[in-house]
Every structure is written in structure tokens, then in C-alpha cells.
Amino acid sequence: MNGYPLYTLIYTSKAIKPFSIDELDHLLERARLFNQGHEITGMLVHLSGFFIQALEGPERLVSGLFSGRISNDSRHNQLEVVAKGPIQERKFGEWRMAFNNLDCLEERPEGFSEYLEKGFTTEFSSKNSAVAAAVLNNFKRKFSNIGS
Ligand SMILES: Cc1cc2nc3c(=O)[nH]c(=O)nc-3n(C[C@H](O)[C@H](O)[C@H](O)COP(=O)(O)O)c2cc1C
């Protein structure tokens, strides 16, 4: 999956109404199917109706996915890009789209407490892109057995 410049985009958003487990499963299934065919990997994190998603892949495909399918999905709003730019290598290369539903985890990963204390809001995370990236890195390290 290498040989072309890689790009990443991390955003946060808020669900319009709560997603059931089945709805999240379905979303993931559709997302993975599309991403797999477009060399896009990443991670989606869900907590209490908020999402953080990291996308990575060729810039044109990542930007197209974000501004198209993802932005047009009326099940969420308040989309805020917290970080974007070129990257040397994939962080989530082994997954088509890993997923963590924090609502289902008893133990939350290190780095997440800041979100819990200050509120997991798009406003917070857009001002703290480094925290969003750190949270995603922690997920990757600690929960690398979850996802596909
Ligand atoms: C939080 C969130 C993350 C999403 N992530 C992706 C994604 O990574 N890839 C993708 O193709 N679609 C993504 N979508 C869009 C949904 O998968 C949606 O089902 C899609 O636009 C409709 O596709 P379908 O016609 O295949 O059902 C996302 C939507 C939401 C709400």
C-alpha cells in the first residue's frame, strides 16, 4: 500500500441521535467496504454520541471521502477537522477501519481522561488536535487486538 504520498485527516463530529450497536455495526460495514477499495485505513472512535475518526491514504481519496460520503451523512453534524497533512507512513495500516466503542469498554485508555474531564466536545478537540492524535495513538497501542 505504499509508493505514493500519504495524507491524514482527523476530525470529530457529533451524532444527531444515539447510534444503536446495530447501527454502528452497519456504518462500519459500509465504511470498511468503501475504504478497502480506496486504499483508506484509519480508526473510528465512538463515545456518548461523539466520534473521532482518523483517515489515511492518498490525499485525493481521503479528502474526497471526507467531503463526500462522510460530510454528507446526515446522521452526524458539527464536523471539525482537528488535524490534516502529509504523513510518512500509515499509523493504522493494518486495519481498513479499526473501531472502538468506548461506551462498551470498562477500562478507558490512557490519554482519554482529559477528554472526560474537559468534555468530549468538538470544540475541545478542535483546539487540541495533539490530544486527539494522542488518543488515537493510545487506542492503537492498547487495543490493537480490536477491530478488523
Ligand atoms: C462517524 C461516521 C464515519 C464514517 N466513516 C466512513 C468511512 O470511513 N468510509 C466511508 O466510506 N463512509 C463513512 N461514513 C459514511 C457512512 O458509511 C454511510 O453509510 C455512507 O455514506 C453510505 O454508504 P452506503 O451507500 O454504502 O450505505 C461515515 C459516517 C459517519 C457518520
Side-chain angles (χ1 to χ4, degrees), residues 8-21:
T8 191
L9 186 152
I10 302 175
Y11 75 90
T12 57
S13 69
K14 189 176 186 313
I16 302 281
K17 63 181 182 68
F19 275 69
S20 68
I21 300 290

Side-chain angles (χ1 to χ4, degrees), residues 11 13 19 26-27 30-31 34-35 44 51 53 55 65 69-70 73 75-76 97:
Y11 75 90
S13 69
F19 275 69
H26 181 73
L27 186 162
R30 304 304 305 169
F34 180 90
N35 296 359
L44 179 64
F51 293 104
Q53 188 173 27
L55 303 168
L65 170 61
R69 287 168 64 87
I70 293 178
D73 193 319
R75 295 172 297 175
H76 66 165
M97 182 53 64

Side-chain angles (χ1 to χ4, degrees), residues 83-109:
K84 62 178 178 178
I87 45 171
Q88 292 303 313
E89 56 186 31
R90 290 179 193 264
K91 286 199 173 77
F92 304 101
E94 65 269 39
W95 292 314
R96 291 165 295 155
M97 182 53 64
F99 177 65
N100 277 294
N101 189 354
L102 289 184
D103 291 343
C104 298
L105 286 179
E106 288 191 2
E107 189 200 343
R108 297 213 163 121

Side-chain angles (χ1 to χ4, degrees), residues 40-54:
I40 292 173
T41 50
M43 173 169 262
L44 179 64
V45 174
H46 175 258
L47 175 70
S48 310
F50 287 94
F51 293 104
I52 311 180
Q53 188 173 27

